[in-house]
């Protein structure tokens, strides 16, 4: 697994090891344990021998989208960490005499760009802008594994509801302090998924033969930022009086504000049709599970 130390990767690792699976972690430093394999994602290098015998390879690595303001330099780092890392893994997988049966590669609902109140599923085309272009290139970098006949899955993940990181990692402290509120006009759709369901969906896609291509990892019913604000207030029993105006967000976040103020109404059609069941399909349940 690449990205095993991240929010999703850490939770997935805990889930797998609890069920008796052995997780081999890809690390950027010299390996210290038998369950570590050296790789250099931006340099395009991975110790392919360390992947031999693995049943599945899961790639969740990449510089954080929301970790800092999007300067040209940081956007280049975001791209390198995802595209070059994916290409290195895909090429290493393709080089093996006995490749893994499945390659699960992270992606994002940013693939679709701004959708307004239009509902989109996996059949929708890529949108316009930095994130859609990144996602297209990111998924395309997995081509060597696909061409080698390895079942390849792309997880287009939404906003993960969790205390330990991501968008909600920043929201929880604000709402607990009584400083939470809607962002902009609050009418933008946020397609969310609980951390529990994110891990369960990745494991489901890994284990279920015949499933390949893109899958939206979002709850079935996206809600608006206004509805999320209300749910956070109810669950945490805090007022939600504050509002952050759109111009302020743009001034503070720069281009990243497009992701915060943008509206993406993304639904997991393929995941539902395949038989997956969400434990927390509604926002209030997802927030309660994460608090």
């Amino acid at each position: 697994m690449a990205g095993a130390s991240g929010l999703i990767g850490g939770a997935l690792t805990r889930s797998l090891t609890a069920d008796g699976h052995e997780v081999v972690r890809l690390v950027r430093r010299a390996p210290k344990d038998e369950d570590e394999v050296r790789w250099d994602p931006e340099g395009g290098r991975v110790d392919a021998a360390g992947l031999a015998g693995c049943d599945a390879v899961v790639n969740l690595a990449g510089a954080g989208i929301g970790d800092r303001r999007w300067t040209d330099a940081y956007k280049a780092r975001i791209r390198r960490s995802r595209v070059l890392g994916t290409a290195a893994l895909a090429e290493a997988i393709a080089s093996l005499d006995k490749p893994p049966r499945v390659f699960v590669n992270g992606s994002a609902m940013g693939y679709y760009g701004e959708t307004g109140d239009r509902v989109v599923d996996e059949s929708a085309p890529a949108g316009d802008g930095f994130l859609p272009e990144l996602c297209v290139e990111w998924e395309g970098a997995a081509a060597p594994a696909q061409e080698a006949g390895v079942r390849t899955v792309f997880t287009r993940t939404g906003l993960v509801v969790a205390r330990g990181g991501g968008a909600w990692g920043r929201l929880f402290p604000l709402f607990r302090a009584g400083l939470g509120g809607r962002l902009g006009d609050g009418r933008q759709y946020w397609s969310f998924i609980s951390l529990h369901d994110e891990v369960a969906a990745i494991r489901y896609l890994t284990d279920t033969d015949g499933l390949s291509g893109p899958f939206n990892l979002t709850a079935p019913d996206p809600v608006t930022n206004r509805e999320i604000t209300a749910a956070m207030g109810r669950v945490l029993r805090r007022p939600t009086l504050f509002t952050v105006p759109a111009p302020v967000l743009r001034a503070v976040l720069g281009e990243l504000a497009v992701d915060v103020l943008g509206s993406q109404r993304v639904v997991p059609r393929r995941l539902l049709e395949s038989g997956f069941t969400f434990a927390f399909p509604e926002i209030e349940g997802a927030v309660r599970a994460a608090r």
Side-chain angles (χ1 to χ4, degrees):
M1 183 187 303
S5 62
L7 172 66
I8 299 170
L12 179 58
T13 297
R14 292 190 294 273
S15 174
L16 289 167
T17 53
D19 286 343
H21 297 284
E22 181 182 352
V23 177
V24 176
R25 296 173 293 136
L26 274 70
V27 297
R28 293 172 174 83
R29 50 171 171 75
K32 296 180 180 178
D33 299 302
E34 293 182 356
D35 64 350
E36 294 182 341
V37 171
R38 180 75 177 269
W39 83 317
D40 176 9
E42 296 190 23
R45 294 184 294 274
V46 58
D47 179 6
L51 304 181
C54 288
D55 186 53
V57 173
V58 180
N59 178 25
L60 301 172
I65 294 291
D67 285 0
R68 62 185 70 177
R69 191 182 179 92
W70 284 358
T71 62
D72 288 343
Y74 193 64
K75 285 166 68 176
R77 181 183 170 193
I78 290 173
R79 178 192 170 279
R80 289 195 308 271
S81 67
R82 286 165 169 74
V83 177
L84 299 183
T86 295
L89 277 174
E91 290 166 5
I93 288 170
S95 73
L96 296 173
D97 292 333
K98 186 178 180 182
R101 62 179 181 81
V102 60
F103 179 32
V104 179
N105 198 69
S107 187
M109 70 173 183
Y111 178 95
Y112 305 104
E114 169 71 36
T115 72
D117 60 1
R118 175 172 54 92
V119 177
V120 297
D121 60 26
E122 293 87 352
S123 65
D128 299 315
F130 172 67
L131 284 179
E133 292 171 3
L134 169 66
C135 290
V136 169
E137 195 173 2
W138 187 4
E139 294 181 10
Q146 292 175 296
E147 292 166 0
V150 176
R151 181 169 68 89
T152 302
V153 176
F154 303 105
T155 55
R156 294 177 180 168
T157 296
L159 297 169
V160 180
V161 185
R163 288 181 300 171
W168 258 271
R170 297 184 179 188
L171 289 179
F172 270 109
L174 290 175
F175 277 87
R176 288 187 187 281
L179 301 175
R182 61 181 172 84
L183 304 178
D185 62 19
R187 291 182 293 184
Q188 66 272 33
Y189 277 90
W190 280 18
S191 297
F192 70 93
I193 184 169
S194 71
L195 181 58
H196 174 96
D197 284 329
E198 174 77 10
V199 169
I202 293 174
R203 292 194 58 175
Y204 174 81
L205 292 170
T206 302
D207 294 340
T208 308
D209 291 335
L211 299 183
S212 63
F215 284 82
N216 294 334
L217 269 56
T218 58
D221 297 307
V223 291
T224 64
N225 176 258
R226 187 186 298 271
E227 292 172 299
I228 285 171
T229 298
M232 292 285 285
R234 287 193 300 271
V235 172
L236 299 179
R237 298 182 181 180
R238 295 290 188 275
T240 56
L241 304 176
F242 291 89
T243 299
V244 182
V248 173
L249 283 171
R250 293 190 184 97
V252 173
L253 300 178
E255 190 177 351
L256 177 57
V258 175
D259 197 38
V260 174
L261 295 170
S263 183
Q264 292 187 301
R265 198 173 182 182
V266 179
V267 296
R269 178 183 61 82
R270 295 195 68 209
L271 199 56
L272 292 172
E273 288 179 352
S274 73
F276 180 79
T277 301
F278 285 82
F280 302 102
E282 298 178 353
I283 185 59
E284 191 156 329
V287 172
R288 290 188 184 280
R291 64 176 178 172

